[in-house]
Structures are given as C-alpha cells and as structure tokens.
C-alpha cells in the first residue's frame, strides 16, 4: 500500500477498495468520488485496524448518513445492553455508531463494539481520559491526552471528535458574550475546565500537529468538535459559535495539509429560520468539508419529543448542505436512552435524512417514494409494509384495526379514495353505503 490515508490515495490518483465500495453504493462515478475525497469534500472514515468495516462516504453529492450514539455511563453501565443497542442499530442500517462511554475502563466495550460493527465507529477520547487514568480532570497531562487518542486509533476507531477549536481566544470571546446555557458540549466543557484549572492552552489545539500524526498513521478521520455549539435557541449563531467555527476552518486546512480527512461538527439548538444560513456559513468557512450536525433541535420546549424537534432541524439542515445527522432520541436531556428510545431516534433521523436527499436531488432518492405511492394506488398492503421505513410498526397498526373491507382501512372504509378511483377508472360501479 503506497498511500497513508484515503485522502492521500485520492490525491495520488489511486482508487482504493473503499472508494470502489462507496461509489457502487452511491451510484456515483468512482473517479468523481476520488476527486471529492482528494478535495476534502467527501470523507470515507475507515481506520486501517477496523477490518470488518463496510465503508460509507459522507459529503457532497452523497446520501445523508445518520449516526447513533450509545455507551456506558456511571449510572447506567450495562455493557451487554449497549451491545444489544448496537446490534439493533446495525439491523436498522445506521451507517455510524458513536461510543460516548464516560465511565470506567471503557476499552473493553469499545473493542467489542468495533469487532461487532460493520458500520463506522466514532468516539470522543476526552470522555475516556478521566476513567482510564483514574485521575481528576485537572491532573491529566498533555501526554496522557495524546496517549488516549492513539489508544482509540489503535483499537480501530474510524473517526474521533476532537475539540481543538476552543482555544484561549475562543474562551475570551465566550467570557465576554454571556449565554443563557453556557457551554453545553460535554467534551467542550471538559476541555474548558481543564484550561481554566491549569491556566493553559487547550492541549488539542496546542498539540494539534501531534494529533494529526496519529490520525494519519491509522487513517482516522477527525471530526472537529464544536465545543461552543448552542445549547438553546437563545444562544445560536452567537459570537462564541462563530469564533470557534472560524478556528475550525483553519484546523481543517491544517489537517488536509497532512492528508487527514476532516468532518466539522455543528449545532446544536437553532431556530428554523437560522438553519439555512448556518449551513452556508459552515461550508464557506470550512472550505466545503462535510458537516455533521446534532439535530439541530429547533425548539427547547419538548423534552420527551426531541427526536421530533431534532428531525425537523435535521431535515432542514441536510436539505441545505449538512451531510451527516447525529440522531436525537426522545430521552435527550432526560436520561440515557433505552432500546426503544434508540429505535425511535433512528427512525426519526432516517426520515429526516431521506427527506433531505429528495430535496438535494440525490440519485434514486425519489424511487423509494414512487414505489410506495404505486403500492398505495394498487392497495397492495404487503408491498407497502415491505417498503415502509419501519415495517414492523406499519404492519402492527394495520393488524390492530382490521377493516370490514380488505381493500380499505378503518379510517375511510368504503369511502377510500384509492379504492374508489381504482374501481371507477376500471369502469366499475361503487357503493359507499
């Protein structure tokens, strides 16, 4: 292998087996895909040590992908349950799983997850540092932070969230511009605390070149974390968010100089009318790098329903240029998600991603909808269930409310428009009584 990363191969004119796989999945010319990878507008997260990976592309002209978060915490540390969630996420065809474990020696879970998963795996190494070293945050050294990053890379993690954009300048901007919800990024708040407690620069910013060397070695894609993402619609598109975004653009170019693939993370909580402009701003300031958004959550009043607020924002964001959606579950802000919460979050995110792909004109995206519409016109219920994004729920709803006439449902009965139009157009009489 005479290349170091997917980006390095693309720039050398080499088509890797991962590029070949992604091109087939996306029905895109492989040479065009290679050009996009070379330019940094598409990433193929594929750690050299993740041997059972079925690679996916994220970025310009490709289907919108979704990510599922899971992992153990101090209050919920059942590894078997989290692995069960991972299996369900894979069954539901999620393209990515992030291990956000934040308690104890998490390497055991991470290795099991990587060995299990054919989907790409992401992590946030700063979460792992406290538990791994059994040290208070302020006592963790720069060397130890870098060791954790290399450990995750060596284990086979395909992409890592690195909060390198919150430097001393960003911190000063944050302090001068009061927020309603301060810094809500868990990783961002940990880095901010470390900086304040030690009166030092962010180690991920100061030693960014060392991190790039690790990522190049294993071909880990950097997901540049947005420490200052808004945690409420009140704080969106403020000075702290934009200051950090400018830094993330600079860090993107530095990564590309070392052939390291980059995604950029984005908001967060954001009113609907601000989302399109933010997508344009991110793409301009970060030179077209793929954009990875959490939600955005479009209103702050719906605990228990944030899979819906997130899906609304996600559809708008992706339709306006976001490439990768992090799912949001009904448990957001309330608890660690259950298996059922996770399923609802996946379905909501998949709906948002597909709706956006239709808007973006992604190849073949409308075909699925057209097939469903034909099945409805034909009153072909089994075909409708096969095509449904959640066949199990669709079939259950039908079985729970059985109509008197098989070619209708209990909503309309003999007044069903599909049924009656079909009969009339075939020259038959209809009786709606």
């Amino acid at each position: 292998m005479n290349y170091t990363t997917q980006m390095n191969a693309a720039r050398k004119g080499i088509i890797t087996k991962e590029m070949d796989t992604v091109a087939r999945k996306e029905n895109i010319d492989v040479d065009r895909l290679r050009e996009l990878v070379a330019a940094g507008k598409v990433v193929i997260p594929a750690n050299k040590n993740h041997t059972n990976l079925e690679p996916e592309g994220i970025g310009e002209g490709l289907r919108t992908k979704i990510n599922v978060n899971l992992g153990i915490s101090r209050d919920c540390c059942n590894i078997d349950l989290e692995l069960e969630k991972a299996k369900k996420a894979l069954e539901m065809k999620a393209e990515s799983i992030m291990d956000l474990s934040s308690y104890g020696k998490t390497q055991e879970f991470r290795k099991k997850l990587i060995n299990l998963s054919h989907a790409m795996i992401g992590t946030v190494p700063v979460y792992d540092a406290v538990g791994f070293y059994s040290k208070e945050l302020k006592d963790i050294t720069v060397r130890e932070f870098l060791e954790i990053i290399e450990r995750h890379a060596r284990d086979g993690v395909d992409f890592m969230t690195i909060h390198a954009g919150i430097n001393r300048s960003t911190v000063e901007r944050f302090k001068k511009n009061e927020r309603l919800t301060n810094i809500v990024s868990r990783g961002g708040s940990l880095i901010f605390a470390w900086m304040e407690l030690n009166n030092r620069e962010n180690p991920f910013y100061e030693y960014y070149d060392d991190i790039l060397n690790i990522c190049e070695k294993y071909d880990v894609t950097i997901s540049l974390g947005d420490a200052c993402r808004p945690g409420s619609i009140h704080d969106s598109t403020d000075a702290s968010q934009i200051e950090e975004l400018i830094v993330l653009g600079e860090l993107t170019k530095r990564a590309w100089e070392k052939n390291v693939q980059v995604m950029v993370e984005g908001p967060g909580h954001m009113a609907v009318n601000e989302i399109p402009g933010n997508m344009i701003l991110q793409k301009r300031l970060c030179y077209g790098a793929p954009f990875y958004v959490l939600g955005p959550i479009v209103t702050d009043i719906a605990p228990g329903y944030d899979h819906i607020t997130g899906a609304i924002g996600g559809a708008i964001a992706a339709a306006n240029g976001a490439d990768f959606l992090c799912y949001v579950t009904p448990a957001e802000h309330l608890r660690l998600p259950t298996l059922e919460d996770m399923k609802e979050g996946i379905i909501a995110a998949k709906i948002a991603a597909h709706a956006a792909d239709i808007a973006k004109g992604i190849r073949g995206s409308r075909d699925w909808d057209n097939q469903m519409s034909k099945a409805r016109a034909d009153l072909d219920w089994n075909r409708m269930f096969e095509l449904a994004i959640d066949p199990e729920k669709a079939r259950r709803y039908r079985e729970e409310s059985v109509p008197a006439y098989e070619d209708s449902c209990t909503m309309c009965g003999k007044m069903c428009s599909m049924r009656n139009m079909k009969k009339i157009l075939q020259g038959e009489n209809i009786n709606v009584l």
Side-chain angles (χ1 to χ4, degrees), residues 244-308:
E244 184 182 31
L245 184 59
I246 292 169
V247 177
L248 296 182
E250 295 167 352
L251 294 173
T252 296
K253 291 186 77 174
R254 285 175 59 186
W256 288 346
E257 288 168 3
K258 292 205 171 188
N259 293 308
V260 173
Q261 301 185 97
V262 177
M263 296 185 288
V264 178
E265 298 184 11
H269 293 234
M270 183 164 287
V272 165
N273 60 302
E274 293 182 51
I275 295 173
N278 267 263
M279 301 305 106
I280 294 169
L281 196 60
Q282 185 278 337
K283 288 286 185 174
R284 288 294 297 272
L285 291 176
C286 297
Y287 309 100
F291 200 21
Y292 175 26
V293 295
L294 174 65
I297 290 172
V298 295
T299 177
D300 300 324
I301 63 164
Y305 297 91
D306 277 327
H307 59 312
I308 297 173

Side-chain angles (χ1 to χ4, degrees), residues 101 104 106-107 110 124-133 148 152:
S101 295
T106 62
Q107 188 174 35
R110 184 168 62 252
V124 188
V126 70
Y127 294 173
D128 195 22
V130 174
F132 183 81
Y133 293 114
I148 281 290
H152 282 226

